[in-house]
Amino acid sequence: MEIDKAIQESHDQSLKTKYNNAIYVIQRALALYPIEEVAFSFNGGKDSTVLLHLLRAGYYLHSVKCGQSNGDVSNHSSAFPIRTIYFESPSAFTEINSFTYETASNYGVQLDIIRQDFKSGLEALLKTKPTRAIFLGVRFGDPTAVGQEQFSPSSPGWPPFMRVNPILDWSYRDVWAFLLTCKVQYCSLYDQGYTSIGSVNDTTPNALLSDNNSTGENKKFKPAYMLTDGRLERAGRAKKSFHQHDVSNGLKSAESHRNRVLTASIVCVGDEFLSGSFNDKLGRSLCKKLRSIGWTVSNIAIVQRDVDSVADEVEKQKAINDMVFVYGGVGPLHSDVSTAGVAKALCVRLVPNEDFKERLLHLYGEKGSGDVIKMAQLPEGVTELIQHEKLHVPLIKCENVIILTATNVDELDQQWCSLKSSNLLELTESFVTKHITTSLSDVEVAQPLSKICSKFPDIYIGCYRQSRSGPLTITLEGKDDKMVEAAMEAVSRTLSSC
């Protein structure tokens, strides 16, 4: 087998060790699961290209070990025996698609092509073709690697299968050492300065590989394998920009700045809240504080202490809100996964932050150094520490996500004062709120209030009862006090005529 021969003849002892460990994981998986119930997720990138050739070598060596082959390469089937999944995306580079199909043709790979999102496509595929294990080209530096081991069951809410990660402990340097040592073809984009490839919408050549002798449209880049610091392989991934925007939810922004409405989402992390064993007071307090500066809270979510649950919620909310606040699940415990979830949502990895580490060591002392090292792992390249004299440790800001370390209302008060003084939160005109009560039934006021809502689209009009037999309280809220007053008079006139 040419791959195994190239590695064994190499003088790179570190690469040999990584190769042998990966082959062991592959052979272990092939011994545990029938070949018909194993799949391989291939995306044309450098990591999955490495895994493709490791699987070719691993399957060959497994066959020899089991007596299914005598070791004669000439008699070994050229068809790749493991079912291969390819998620084809309209936003993929044409070079990636071309390389994928060319590679499949060269090595006899039968592709199951899926044109849906990963989760939906996987669910549909596994219904028709039962699969117990899937080989993935995940490495520790990847955002999706958080919490994974070489054999890791799929996350809650996903189809059940075993994730097999043979190159989980490989570095950027290991990947390129393998590709160059084995002299296998890889996607041409890597020779054009791309070091980590996503979609055409979020991927550019890595500026660290820029050729200083070229400029403008003729700008050239060195090959990806010339990047000396593998920690910067994702430097070519564009980050989502943070745009403040208006909303239309009954509190619509007017043209003037004073009527501007900014939205926030609150994500509470903790199984104790979901089980009902602990009362969440921080969420309520944070809502009041945000309302006091003219912000509206669009959503409060309580999620499990699970990296994927946190990441899914943060990714969804950060795209549609001006700011996302995350609390709970922050600390040194095994269940403290909030920071890792935020990193995954932002598609970055966790790396040590020396400034944060020093502050934590000053607070907890050397006895807690092991826990401090874990807590000091923060999202790479997107983290800003908010320092303040009232805080024992800085606040953590990652793009438009604020990670709060508060565990009680008093601590939240301190962190809120620090946030306000740091000018991170834009102060807008406060809401004007008025209330009116009536003994009329819900049925009697439903149609009249509906008409008033249509006449005052910029005013939020809501209703609630403290008890089933108590009076109905009608709340009117907006940023234009004259408009709120006019709506209030309209409601009063309407109710008096009912």
Side-chain angles (χ1 to χ4, degrees), residues 165-332:
N165 304 307
I167 62 170
L168 190 63
D169 62 341
W170 285 42
S171 67
Y172 183 83
R173 178 259 178 205
D174 295 328
V175 166
W176 282 108
F178 178 89
L179 293 172
L180 298 177
T181 297
C182 296
K183 298 179 181 179
V184 294
Q185 186 178 4
Y186 51 82
C187 180
S188 61
L189 289 174
Y190 292 111
D191 285 333
Q192 300 171 33
Y194 291 84
T195 52
S196 176
I197 301 174
S199 74
V200 295
N201 301 318
D202 65 5
T203 310
T204 59
N206 195 322
L208 297 170
L209 292 174
S210 175
D211 185 344
N212 295 328
N213 296 323
S214 60
T215 59
E217 296 181 357
N218 297 320
K219 190 72 175 175
K220 294 182 180 179
F221 295 83
K222 302 171 186 176
Y225 54 78
M226 295 188 69
L227 183 68
T228 56
D229 189 347
R231 295 173 299 176
L232 302 174
E233 68 174 291
R234 298 183 67 86
R237 290 294 192 100
K239 299 179 178 65
K240 295 179 181 178
S241 58
F242 167 43
H243 297 290
Q244 292 179 331
H245 53 278
D246 296 334
V247 295
S248 178
N249 62 348
L251 295 173
K252 192 189 302 180
S253 297
E255 294 180 356
S256 65
H257 173 77
R258 72 185 290 272
N259 288 341
R260 179 178 174 83
V261 176
L262 301 178
T263 65
S265 177
I266 299 173
V267 180
C268 170
V269 182
D271 295 351
E272 64 273 21
F273 301 109
L274 293 171
S275 66
S277 59
F278 195 82
N279 185 25
D280 174 29
K281 296 180 180 179
L282 294 184
R284 181 182 179 186
S285 179
L286 188 54
C287 282
K288 290 183 176 180
K289 295 179 186 301
L290 286 163
R291 299 294 285 180
S292 71
I293 62 171
W295 286 54
T296 184
V297 178
S298 67
N299 179 74
I300 299 180
I302 301 178
V303 300
Q304 293 177 314
R305 288 180 183 262
D306 170 79
V307 172
D308 288 328
S309 297
V310 176
D312 289 346
E313 189 64 30
V314 170
E315 182 179 17
K316 178 173 63 177
Q317 297 303 329
K318 74 177 293 295
I320 59 177
N321 289 279
D322 295 284
M323 195 73 76
V324 178
F325 294 86
V326 180
Y327 64 88
V330 180

Side-chain angles (χ1 to χ4, degrees), residues 376-403:
Q377 298 274 329
L378 300 178
E380 182 183 30
V382 297
T383 296
E384 177 184 353
L385 297 179
I386 311 303
Q387 312 274 2
H388 194 274
E389 58 185 10
K390 291 185 177 181
L391 297 180
H392 295 298
V393 294
L395 287 172
I396 304 167
K397 178 179 179 293
C398 304
E399 295 187 5
N400 64 328
V401 180
I402 301 289
I403 303 175

Side-chain angles (χ1 to χ4, degrees), residues 427-441:
L427 305 183
T428 63
E429 191 73 13
S430 298
F431 288 103
V432 177
T433 304
K434 291 185 178 295
H435 303 279
I436 186 172
T437 60
T438 178
S439 58
L440 295 172
S441 68

Side-chain angles (χ1 to χ4, degrees), residues 8 65 72-73 84 128 214 242 264 285 291 475 498:
Q8 301 309 331
K65 185 177 179 180
D72 185 355
V73 177
T84 304
T128 58
S214 60
F242 167 43
S285 179
R291 299 294 285 180
T475 301
C498 289

Side-chain angles (χ1 to χ4, degrees), residues 347-487:
C347 296
V348 298
R349 61 184 179 178
L350 290 175
V351 296
N353 185 294
E354 292 301 322
D355 187 13
F356 198 54
K357 178 181 175 182
E358 288 182 12
R359 295 294 294 268
L360 291 173
L361 284 173
H362 179 74
L363 180 63
Y364 295 111
E366 291 294 335
K367 290 183 178 180
S369 58
D371 295 334
V372 164
I373 290 174
K374 178 184 177 182
M375 291 174 66
Q377 298 274 329
L378 300 178
E380 182 183 30
V382 297
T383 296
E384 177 184 353
L385 297 179
I386 311 303
Q387 312 274 2
H388 194 274
E389 58 185 10
K390 291 185 177 181
L391 297 180
H392 295 298
V393 294
L395 287 172
I396 304 167
K397 178 179 179 293
C398 304
E399 295 187 5
N400 64 328
V401 180
I402 301 289
I403 303 175
L404 301 169
T405 58
T407 58
N408 55 63
V409 174
D410 289 338
E411 290 178 353
L412 179 62
D413 289 342
Q414 289 184 336
Q415 295 183 15
W416 179 256
C417 289
S418 303
L419 274 175
K420 288 181 66 177
S421 62
S422 68
N423 296 320
L424 278 176
L425 300 175
E426 182 178 339
L427 305 183
T428 63
E429 191 73 13
S430 298
F431 288 103
V432 177
T433 304
K434 291 185 178 295
H435 303 279
I436 186 172
T437 60
T438 178
S439 58
L440 295 172
S441 68
D442 294 5
V443 173
E444 289 175 301
V445 302
Q447 287 298 323
L449 286 183
S450 179
K451 292 179 181 179
I452 293 175
C453 287
S454 64
K455 291 180 180 179
F456 296 91
D458 294 340
I459 304 301
Y460 169 79
I461 302 177
C463 306
Y464 66 89
R465 293 183 188 274
Q466 295 285 6
S467 63
R468 180 178 293 273
S469 59
L472 178 70
T473 300
I474 301 171
T475 301
L476 298 94
E477 197 170 50
K479 292 206 169 188
D480 188 324
D481 53 351
K482 293 182 179 179
M483 191 68 70
V484 174
E485 185 64 38

